[in-house]
Amino acid sequence: MESHVGTPTNSPRQDGQDRTRPPPILLHYFCGRGRAEQCRWMLAATTEGESWGNRELSAPEEFEELKKNGKLLYGQVPMLEIDGLYLTQAQAIIRYLAAKHGLLGSTPQEAALCDMVAEGCLEFRGGLLSYPFNPVKVATQQSLGLINKFCPIFEKMLGDNQYIAGSTSMTYADILLAEVLTGYEEVFPTAMEQHYPKLNELRVRVCQAASGIVNYLASGKRYPFPTGEAGSAYVHNVRAVLNG
């Protein structure tokens, strides 16, 4: 998979879109997956037919400009430009997209279950977030520990249902769960299929259910897993933007 570091930051990622005008939906973040990856999956699932792009930060001046212009409420990214808004905090971005596209669950009970799963996924994917910042052995052990903690819980919660909140249709919780499971599948190939078959079926179901996700996973918008050279480049990018 090609490295995506070095794409000019004054335009979205080079994904075949028309560069004469920016897409109406822009996600501002570093040159990698990180905390923005859940947002990208949600955008892929919900904005089919709409144009969205990554706005890569590569210099501290770009980051400071966003803060100076009042676009970063807490001085942090990711930030999503959408519907005339500047949304910050990944979970707020995710829930905005879920609410806008009817993915919060059809009852208060389903909505609560979705939120519980979403909060669990946030901790579950901690190993993916920290992976490029740790030695490989440490990162792998941490990831395995999180898999062993959360996968049995989610496997039991899913049971014989098609979707994690027990609904008959996909919710944002399913998308977030598929994202983190797919990430760990890149660390431990076939692990989900062998040890957590129901979760793996959910992961595959979600990845195939939305054509936007299918297209995203095969597109240049998706960054490589942050290990090896790709991981080093991502860490360098984050530190360069934050520390100058």
Side-chain angles (χ1 to χ4, degrees):
M1 187 177 293
E2 63 176 339
S3 172
H4 301 293
V5 177
T7 302
T9 56
N10 60 353
S11 66
R13 293 176 55 74
Q14 303 301 309
D15 47 30
Q17 296 179 2
D18 180 6
R19 298 302 156 198
T20 60
R21 57 182 180 179
I25 303 172
L26 286 175
L27 184 64
H28 298 252
Y29 197 64
F30 308 109
C31 302
R33 294 186 188 181
R35 296 185 184 278
E37 188 63 9
Q38 289 182 310
C39 302
R40 295 188 186 102
W41 276 63
M42 287 295 297
L43 285 166
T46 60
T47 59
E48 184 177 0
E50 294 182 78
S51 181
W52 68 274
N54 292 303
R55 183 73 76 181
E56 298 175 332
L57 299 176
S58 63
E61 293 79 13
E62 298 165 355
F63 189 42
E64 290 302 319
E65 186 69 16
L66 289 175
K67 291 191 286 186
K68 179 182 177 181
N69 291 338
K71 295 182 178 181
L72 303 181
L73 182 62
Y74 299 109
Q76 300 171 323
V77 287
M79 183 270 283
L80 181 67
E81 289 189 55
I82 186 172
D83 299 334
L85 303 171
Y86 301 104
L87 301 179
T88 59
Q89 302 298 104
Q91 300 309 300
I93 292 170
I94 289 164
R95 285 177 171 85
Y96 178 84
L97 293 171
K100 183 178 179 180
H101 295 278
L103 294 172
L104 289 176
S106 58
T107 67
Q109 291 81 4
E110 286 183 7
L113 285 172
C114 287
D115 287 346
M116 290 166 62
V117 172
E119 293 300 319
C121 285
L122 192 59
E123 182 180 347
F124 183 16
R125 71 188 310 275
L128 300 177
L129 279 177
S130 62
Y131 200 95
F133 297 93
N134 290 319
V136 173
K137 183 176 180 179
V138 173
T140 302
Q141 290 176 339
Q142 181 184 10
S143 297
L144 185 59
L146 288 166
I147 289 172
N148 290 337
K149 175 181 178 180
F150 283 98
C151 280
I153 296 172
F154 288 134
E155 180 93 348
K156 182 178 179 180
M157 184 178 180
L158 179 60
D160 295 324
N161 298 312
Q162 275 198 312
Y163 298 103
I164 194 68
S167 64
T168 56
S169 59
M170 187 171 65
T171 66
Y172 86 98
D174 298 294
I175 297 171
L176 298 188
L177 190 52
E179 183 273 328
V180 65
L181 292 173
T182 300
Y184 281 122
E185 186 76 6
E186 293 178 83
V187 182
F188 304 102
T190 73
M192 301 303 162
E193 182 178 5
Q194 291 179 2
H195 301 289
Y196 305 103
K198 293 179 180 179
L199 283 181
N200 189 62
E201 289 175 5
L202 171 67
R203 180 183 70 83
V204 173
R205 186 178 303 119
V206 170
C207 290
Q208 295 178 345
S211 60
I213 293 179
V214 174
N215 293 335
Y216 168 65
L217 293 178
S219 76
K221 286 182 180 178
R222 192 167 194 238
Y223 294 89
F225 188 85
T227 189
E229 290 184 6
S232 297
Y234 172 62
V235 171
H236 175 78
N237 168 246
V238 171
R239 290 174 174 166
V241 171
L242 295 180
N243 303 321

